[in-house]
């Protein structure tokens, strides 16, 4: 867990060096609260620390109805290289048909043969150690109606609860409890899915923390209780039917696992895991629908999905202003996204049907924007580390130069004190050596500056390319 020691990027050599130094210095010191040895060999804590944002794509299989109507599969997954190919059927103006092939790369690409369990182990389980290290983790599913968001998200809390409860049963977490709540955002309003769809308000407390007022929280000690809560929440959710899904979710559903410490009523949250099953991304585009209710739902969903994208983009580029107020969804997620220990997994769900190709491409482009920015973020932090190194080298150069000046003055002093021809020769030889040392130091610094400027140039060029939207091919 490098972050706890101030290393947020494995390329950051200075931070790594400081860590090595501090390990030597603190061998006799007591370990930090969250790094107790009995947990180090717990399987959940052995998983690698997840990146700040991880984007994965999941393709669902063609269903019988789609096969019967002759819909073809346009998606090819190459899991080994985390690449997804979309073979988009197209038509030229002269009506001849052709296929346009699009290539997308993500952190993970899961084909139809990957089941919920495997997805959990690869993508979600690493988040468990995050929440036990006082972090906030968020996992959300994005995609068009019928693409498999609810199918993917619904089993995840159950799998996660098994792991969370197993860690909570260790003596290290005595007094910490799992508290589960669930609500939906429908038409910009919040409804408690564990308490008779009670309407909920969002407020900011004195410490500028967002609170969902009146939300019911249930203490969960075993998985069966959670199973009942998940079923209850699913039954309370607003659903309708779409062409692609008879049981279509018309809202964003949010399930929160809060780890609370102590016994007093307002126990502090020490870790948080949030699961979000978003409403279908195509709803915003349903402008041709005559039903006023559906149109209003669509507009609201569209607004929140755009706001979500803007927030993730802003977060990833470490922007000063993050537009959380853009929607209710982003407002309630503000606390989960903030802070160095925040981790997000985005699952982009896609349908393989040729008839869904346009929506699939939209989903992948949405996901790709998030991914592109994550790569850029790593480059920018490498640039900042290089800048730190250059400044440190410059400081060192100044110190060395001052030492050189002192040596030169001493040399002159020796010459003024003597005056014999031999001494002049020795003086000239020593001065030559000193000047060569100075020239070598200047050349080394010059080389560093040149390399740094080249790095700035390439990073800026890549930044400009990403900004011009060249995410997909
Ligand atoms: N990976 C999968 N394997 C098998 N069946 C799947 C898979 N993903 C989805 N399905 C099936 O496809 C149908 C639609 O899935 P789901 O309800 O999860 O869609 P959704 O993305 O939540 O849609 P909506 O936005 O309309 O709520 C369901 O019947 C579900 O069981
Ligand atoms: Mg759904």
């Amino acid at each position: 867990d490098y972050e706890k020691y101030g290393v947020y990027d494995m390329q950051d050599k200075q931070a790594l060096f400081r860590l090595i130094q501090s390990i030597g210095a603190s061998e006799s010191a007591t370990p930090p609260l969250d790094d107790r040895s009995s947990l180090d060999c717990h399987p959940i804590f052995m998983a690698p620390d997840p990146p700040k944002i991880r984007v994965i794509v999941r393709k669902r299989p063609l269903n019988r109805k789609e096969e019967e109507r002759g819909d073809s599969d346009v998606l090819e997954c190459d899991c080994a290289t985390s690449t997804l190919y979309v073979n988009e059927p197209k038509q030229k103006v002269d009506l001849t048909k052709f296929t346009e092939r699009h290539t997308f790369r993500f952190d993970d690409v899961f084909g139809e043969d990957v089941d919920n369990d495997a997805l959990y182990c690869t993508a979600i389980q690493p988040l468990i150690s995050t929440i036990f290290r006082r972090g906030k983790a968020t996992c959300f599913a994005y995609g068009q109606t019928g693409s498999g968001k609810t199918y993917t998200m619904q089993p995840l809390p159950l799998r996660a609860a098994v792991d969370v409860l197993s860690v909570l049963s260790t003596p290290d977490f005595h007094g910490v409890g799992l508290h589960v709540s669930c609500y939906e955002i429908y038409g910009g309003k919040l409804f408690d899915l564990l308490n008779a769809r009670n309407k909920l308000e969002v407020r900011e407390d004195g410490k500028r923390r967002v609170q969902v007022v009146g939300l019911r929280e249930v203490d969960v000690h075993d998985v069966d209780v959670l199973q009942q809560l998940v079923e209850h929440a699913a039954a309370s959710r607003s659903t309708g039917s779409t062409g692609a899904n008879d049981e279509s979710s018309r809202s964003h559903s949010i399930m929160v696992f809060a780890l609370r410490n102590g016994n007093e009523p307002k126990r502090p949250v020490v870790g948080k895991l949030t699961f979000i099953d978003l409403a279908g991304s195509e709803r915003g585009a349903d402008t041709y629908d005559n039903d006023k209710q559906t149109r209003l739902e669509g507009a609201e969903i569209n607004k929140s999905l755009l706001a979500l994208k803007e927030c993730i983009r802003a977060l990833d580029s470490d922007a000063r202003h993050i537009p959380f107020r853009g929607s209710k969804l982003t407002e309630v997620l503000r606390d989960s996204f903030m802070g160095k220990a925040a981790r997000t997994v985005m699952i982009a769900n896609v349908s393989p049907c040729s008839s869904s190709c346009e929506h699939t491409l939209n989903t992948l482009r949405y996901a790709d924007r998030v991914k592109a920015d994550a790569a850029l973020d790593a480059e920018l932090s490498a640039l900042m580390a290089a800048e730190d190194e250059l400044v440190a080298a410059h400081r060192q150069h100044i110190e060395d130069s001052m030492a050189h000046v002192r040596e030169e003055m001493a040399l002159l002093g020796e010459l003024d004190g003597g005056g014999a021809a031999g001494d002049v020769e020795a003086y000239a030889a020593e001065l030559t050596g000193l000047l060569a040392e100075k020239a070598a130091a200047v050349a080394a610094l010059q080389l560093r500056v040149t390399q740094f400027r080249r790095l700035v140039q390439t990073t800026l060029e890549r930044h400009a390319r990403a900004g011009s939207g060249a995410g997909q091919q």
Side-chain angles (χ1 to χ4, degrees):
D1 186 19
Y2 285 89
E3 286 212 348
K4 201 161 45 205
Y5 298 100
V7 182
Y8 299 102
D9 179 356
M10 294 308 285
Q11 305 298 320
D12 187 344
K13 294 203 179 71
Q14 283 204 327
L16 280 168
F17 182 62
R18 276 196 300 273
L19 172 61
I20 292 164
Q21 279 187 320
S22 70
I23 289 169
S26 67
E27 257 170 7
S28 57
T30 36
L33 188 75
D34 295 330
D35 195 27
R36 286 161 283 198
S37 54
S38 64
L39 289 176
D40 284 347
C41 50
H42 195 292
I44 288 168
F45 287 82
M46 286 163 78
D49 192 27
K52 204 164 144 191
I53 293 173
R54 179 169 180 177
V55 183
I56 64 183
V57 170
R58 185 185 203 186
K59 170 196 175 185
R60 74 154 167 82
L62 273 177
N63 62 36
R64 209 160 33 155
K65 219 157 113 190
E66 290 157 349
E67 271 172 4
E68 276 168 13
R69 70 168 184 237
D71 230 326
S72 58
D73 181 346
V74 294
L75 302 181
E76 277 172 54
C77 297
D78 184 350
C79 301
T81 58
S82 302
T83 309
L84 182 76
Y85 301 99
V86 184
N87 299 311
E88 186 188 15
K90 284 196 129 177
Q91 219 172 38
K92 288 188 191 158
V93 269
D94 64 3
L95 301 186
T96 48
K97 291 190 163 71
F98 69 102
T99 303
E100 188 175 340
R101 193 168 160 92
H102 307 260
T103 308
F104 292 89
R105 264 179 214 96
F106 295 99
D107 295 314
D108 283 297
V109 170
F110 295 136
E112 61 267 56
D113 50 331
V114 176
D115 64 12
N116 284 332
D117 223 40
L119 182 132
Y120 173 80
C121 292
T122 318
I124 312 301
Q125 200 175 42
L127 298 176
I128 304 293
S129 66
T130 301
I131 64 167
F132 281 102
R133 298 196 196 277
R134 298 177 186 272
K136 305 223 170 109
T138 310
C139 166
F140 66 89
Y142 179 94
Q144 75 168 118
T145 178
S147 58
K149 298 180 295 297
T150 304
Y151 180 92
T152 301
M153 292 307 293
Q154 224 166 44
L156 295 182
L158 288 167
R159 288 291 277 110
V162 173
D163 287 339
V164 169
L165 293 171
S166 124
V167 178
L168 285 179
S169 68
T170 61
D172 297 305
F173 288 96
H174 183 73
V176 180
L178 169 62
H179 302 261
V180 175
S181 55
C182 190
Y183 57 97
E184 73 171 2
I185 304 179
Y186 177 68
K189 297 188 177 66
L190 274 69
F191 300 94
D192 196 333
L193 295 182
L194 298 183
N195 192 12
R197 297 188 55 79
N198 233 6
K199 195 160 170 272
L200 303 161
E201 296 297 329
V202 182
R203 281 198 214 120
E204 226 177 56
D205 68 8
K207 290 182 180 159
R208 298 210 63 226
R209 280 181 310 218
V210 176
Q211 305 284 351
V212 180
V213 185
L215 180 64
R216 182 171 175 220
E217 253 190 17
V218 182
D219 296 13
V220 170
H221 300 284
D222 70 76
V223 180
D224 291 342
V225 173
L226 185 71
Q227 170 83 43
Q228 286 165 17
L229 295 181
V230 167
E231 283 168 15
H232 186 85
S236 311
R237 199 173 168 193
S238 308
T239 52
S241 79
T242 61
N245 190 2
D246 295 336
E247 278 276 321
S248 177
S249 331
R250 302 196 143 186
S251 60
H252 307 306
S253 140
I254 300 176
M255 179 166 266
V256 182
F257 279 16
L259 296 179
R260 290 189 187 273
N261 201 1
N263 290 317
E264 63 276 20
K266 286 200 168 175
R267 287 159 285 185
V269 172
V270 289
K272 197 164 154 183
L273 175 57
T274 309
F275 301 94
I276 307 159
D277 177 5
L278 292 169
S281 55
E282 80 299 334
R283 285 186 171 273
D286 264 355
T287 45
Y288 48 83
D289 202 308
N290 288 329
D291 177 351
K292 188 171 171 228
Q293 180 65 23
T294 312
R295 269 208 319 274
L296 285 176
E297 278 172 17
E300 184 64 40
I301 290 167
N302 202 17
K303 190 170 99 177
S304 56
L305 295 178
L306 284 176
L308 182 64
K309 180 164 71 174
E310 289 310 312
C311 285
I312 296 174
R313 283 173 60 171
L315 274 173
D316 222 25
S317 56
D318 283 331
R320 290 224 173 124
H321 174 70
I322 300 172
F324 286 114
R325 286 189 190 278
S327 74
K328 269 280 174 308
L329 174 70
T330 46
E331 228 177 300
V332 296
L333 291 181
R334 189 173 81 182
D335 291 353
S336 299
F337 281 159
M338 299 287 273
K340 286 193 176 121
R343 296 285 178 274
T344 302
V345 171
M346 173 186 176
I347 305 172
N349 285 100
V350 285
S351 147
C353 299
S354 52
S355 55
S356 297
C357 205
E358 205 179 317
H359 284 311
T360 297
L361 285 169
N362 283 341
T363 297
L364 295 171
R365 283 175 186 139
Y366 184 101
D368 201 62
R369 282 307 301 152
V370 172
K371 174 83 179 27
D373 288 351
L376 207 61
D377 189 43
E379 274 173 22
L380 286 176
S381 68
L383 183 64
M384 272 144 68
E387 184 186 336
D388 284 350
E389 277 171 27
L390 178 65
V391 171
H394 188 189
R395 285 220 170 86
Q396 186 61 49
H397 177 77
I398 292 172
E399 273 179 33
D400 293 348
S401 303
M402 282 157 70
H404 279 134
V405 170
R406 279 193 294 274
E407 277 182 59
E408 282 178 51
M409 284 169 67
L411 190 60
L412 271 180
E414 275 172 34
L415 187 72
D416 289 345
D423 286 349
V424 173
E425 183 48 39
Y427 157 77
E430 208 162 321
L431 182 57
T432 306
L434 267 176
L435 291 176
E437 255 178 52
K438 275 170 78 169
V442 169
L445 188 62
Q446 247 166 357
L447 183 66
R448 260 181 184 277
V449 177
T450 310
Q451 284 168 342
F452 177 74
R453 293 184 73 186
R454 210 174 291 148
L455 187 64
V456 171
Q457 187 68 25
T458 49
T459 309
L460 287 181
E461 276 168 14
R462 264 189 224 139
H463 201 152
R465 272 204 301 277
S468 65
Q472 330 80 30
Q473 307 122 46

